Amino acid sequence: MSQTNKLKIFNDPIYGFITIPNSLIYDLIQHPYFQRLRRISQMGMSYLVYPGAHHTRFHHALGCMHIMQKAVQTLQFKGVSISEEEENALYIAILLHDIGHGPYSHAMEHSIVEEVHHEELSLLFMEQLNKEFDGKLSLAIQVFKGEYHRKFMLQLISSQLDMDRMDYLKRDSFYSGVAEGNINSERLIQMMNVQDDYLVIEEKGIYSVEKFLVARRLMYWQAYLHKTSVVAELILTKILKRAKELTQKGILLPCSEPLQFFLQNKISLSDFDKSVLDKFSYLDDYDVLGAIKAWQFHDDFVLQSLCRMILNRDLLKIQMSDDKPSKENLLAIKNKYISIAKISDKEADYFVFKGKLKNQAYSKSSEPIRILKKDKTIEDVVEASDQLHLKALSKPVTKYFICFPKVVLES
């Protein structure tokens, strides 16, 4: 059998060349579970607002691995001992941190798979891969679960300044064209160090951290929580809910076999054995989009209307406000739509509804971003910064919204 060259390089539009560090990581990337990420978009429905935002979770996972390599090199250069086995565990954990995402991820979590978080699924995928790779992922899983004794390793994978956030802010800002999200990840990584087993940023990097937090806040309001992206994702969630409701009533909807399986069955975390996990791994954006294209012609008014909204980008109206919407106002809109569309009260709930969005760029209750001062003391970035706006960034901002069909305003 011929040996394939496993030390491949990827060309990335953001970092240039990304190298695969070893053959185990090459084999993980080659695995169907991971290749599936090529068919799952990173920013969900955001392409309806930013036409360039078609990059995938595959892109993002490789980018995270690349900057993890840079972070490990920086820390080792500064005298932090990281063994080859630990280094590998960090690469594997960050590479696979998003492997549990479903199509248009968050819409799936709230509609087809009952309240199963993508992180729990990522862990199931990692555990399954660990069986297939003879236990070579054991340390990575330990780090990912936060069970490894060196705390800073988990912080590199999951914290308020982790490789995941560093890559997605830079990448999402690049592909969407929202320049405000662009951060200087190179400098942030150069400023990293480890003190008392915690990941710290050296004091001279504080302005880069401030810029990172501001960029995160702006990306949330301009991209992730952009009202059009939000309403599109909500419509998608409602489409899947309606499809599930009809399927459970015995109405067979045309769609792929894996999607059919999740529409027909109530699946919670405890149901995920290998066969269910495999079925989940066959699902990607194409199943959902293909189904929506077929369902736009279905005779169920709710299903076909919602599908057409997504396909033709003719979405529900969304009105944002700083105050909670009144029940009376919502009811009046709903009744008006019921009389226009001649549908039942329950069906109208698919078209007229309320919700809220929360954005907090920095959480003081979570693991803080620690600044290493020149005198070797450690301070939370909010205290260390002379910028008053960082204190403001740690306050959660809540906005309320209502959604309803545009025809309500027209009549």
Side-chain angles (χ1 to χ4, degrees):
M1 208 172 98
S2 67
Q3 261 317 91
T4 44
N5 169 26
K6 294 186 175 182
L7 300 174
K8 297 243 187 274
I9 53 174
F10 286 94
N11 196 346
D12 185 78
I14 292 163
Y15 309 116
F17 291 113
I18 291 179
T19 53
I20 295 180
N22 56 53
S23 62
L24 171 62
I25 288 185
Y26 173 86
D27 291 337
L28 285 169
I29 291 171
Q30 280 297 94
H31 195 282
Y33 285 170
F34 191 81
Q35 288 292 322
R36 160 182 164 272
L37 297 180
R38 289 182 184 271
R39 301 184 297 279
I40 293 191
S41 64
Q42 175 69 17
M43 284 179 75
M45 305 303 288
S46 295
Y47 67 89
L48 291 174
V49 184
Y50 300 109
H54 271 296
H55 56 302
T56 65
R57 293 199 176 271
F58 182 86
H59 260 124
H60 164 62
L62 290 177
C64 290
M65 181 192 72
H66 172 75
I67 53 175
M68 182 66 89
Q69 286 172 286
K70 298 274 179 241
V72 166
Q73 283 163 11
T74 299
L75 293 176
Q76 285 175 331
F77 178 72
K78 292 181 182 180
V80 179
S81 76
I82 299 173
S83 71
E84 197 179 329
E85 196 191 356
E86 288 172 329
E87 191 179 327
N88 224 11
L90 284 171
Y91 299 157
I92 293 169
I94 198 70
L95 185 71
L96 304 180
H97 77 281
D98 266 352
I99 200 169
H101 270 291
Y104 301 107
S105 68
H106 304 292
M108 284 292 285
E109 281 173 26
H110 300 299
S111 53
I112 287 199
V113 182
E114 311 290 321
E115 301 307 317
V116 182
H117 202 262
H118 70 266
E119 279 164 10
E120 297 169 310
L121 286 175
S122 291
L123 198 54
L124 292 178
F125 275 118
M126 282 167 143
E127 281 162 354
Q128 182 53 41
L129 286 166
N130 199 27
K131 285 180 194 154
E132 292 180 31
F133 285 89
D134 305 324
K136 287 180 185 155
L137 283 73
S138 299
L139 187 58
I141 290 170
Q142 228 185 321
V143 173
F144 185 78
K145 286 163 84 170
E147 291 170 358
Y148 192 57
H149 65 279
R150 303 188 76 184
K151 286 197 268 302
F152 78 89
M153 291 194 171
L154 177 64
Q155 289 175 279
L156 286 167
I157 291 155
S158 177
S159 67
Q160 298 202 70
L161 191 63
D162 57 25
M163 301 303 111
D164 174 34
R165 289 184 183 189
M166 266 191 224
D167 182 81
Y168 76 61
L169 284 176
K170 207 167 170 61
R171 190 168 297 280
D172 295 350
S173 123
F174 176 87
Y175 280 96
S176 61
V178 179
E180 291 81 357
N182 191 9
I183 54 158
N184 190 347
S185 53
E186 291 277 312
R187 177 153 172 88
L188 280 165
I189 286 169
Q190 289 301 322
M191 294 297 126
M192 282 182 171
N193 210 330
V194 173
Q195 178 91 354
D196 305 333
D197 205 31
Y198 286 113
L199 191 66
V200 293
I201 299 288
E202 290 161 6
E203 192 174 10
K204 54 184 182 284
I206 193 162
Y207 300 117
S208 302
V209 177
E210 287 175 9
K211 168 110 173 34
F212 168 84
L213 292 173
V214 171
R216 187 162 184 266
R217 176 175 171 269
L218 295 175
M219 275 305 280
Y220 267 83
W221 286 131
Q222 267 194 289
Y224 312 130
L225 299 179
H226 185 290
K227 61 181 193 164
T228 308
S229 311
V230 167
V231 76
E233 193 159 302
L234 288 165
I235 293 170
L236 185 60
T237 308
K238 303 259 177 209
I239 289 173
L240 294 170
K241 273 201 165 137
R242 183 60 170 181
K244 190 155 192 166
E245 195 182 312
L246 294 172
T247 304
Q248 310 250 324
K249 281 183 186 163
I251 299 168
L252 203 64
L253 298 175
C255 64
S256 72
E257 219 174 299
L259 186 54
Q260 195 79 61
F261 173 81
F262 285 97
L263 291 175
Q264 280 171 346
N265 299 287
K266 215 178 158 74
I267 301 289
S268 59
L269 191 62
S270 55
D271 300 314
F272 269 91
D273 57 11
K274 178 162 189 325
S275 77
V276 174
L277 193 65
D278 281 345
K279 283 202 172 68
F280 184 82
S281 79
Y282 300 139
L283 269 183
D284 55 49
D285 290 6
Y286 296 87
D287 297 80
V288 175
L289 212 50
I292 289 174
K293 284 174 70 180
W295 298 343
Q296 67 178 321
F297 304 113
H298 197 271
D299 51 16
D300 177 68
F301 174 77
V302 176
L303 190 62
Q304 61 153 280
S305 307
L306 295 172
C307 289
R308 285 175 185 171
M309 285 178 189
I310 293 283
L311 291 170
N312 306 323
R313 200 194 177 278
D314 187 7
L315 307 168
L316 293 170
K317 175 94 182 135
I318 177 168
Q319 285 181 344
M320 304 281 243
S321 161
D322 293 334
D323 308 308
K324 280 186 178 172
S326 74
K327 279 184 183 151
E328 297 76 34
N329 187 24
L330 202 67
L331 195 62
I333 293 173
K334 189 170 152 185
N335 289 334
K336 195 169 177 186
Y337 188 60
I338 288 173
S339 70
I340 294 169
K342 310 276 184 287
I343 53 174
S344 72
D345 189 72
K346 195 164 176 291
E347 288 170 325
D349 287 336
Y350 278 98
F351 298 96
V352 182
F353 50 88
K354 61 179 181 154
K356 63 180 178 182
L357 302 172
K358 210 168 162 185
N359 184 6
Q360 188 173 14
Y362 181 69
S363 162
K364 290 183 87 170
S365 57
S366 305
E367 181 86 39
I369 295 177
R370 297 176 173 85
I371 301 295
L372 179 65
K373 310 280 286 225
K374 294 205 171 51
D375 61 6
K376 292 284 180 252
T377 56
I378 292 177
E379 229 180 342
D380 184 327
V381 65
V382 174
E383 310 309 323
S385 166
D386 53 9
Q387 292 294 317
L388 288 171
H389 68 251
L390 276 203
K391 286 195 171 56
L393 283 181
S394 54
K395 284 197 180 75
V397 179
T398 304
K399 287 187 182 178
Y400 299 91
F401 64 81
I402 56 172
C403 297
F404 54 87
K406 291 173 185 151
V407 60
V408 172
L409 291 176
E410 290 157 13
S411 59

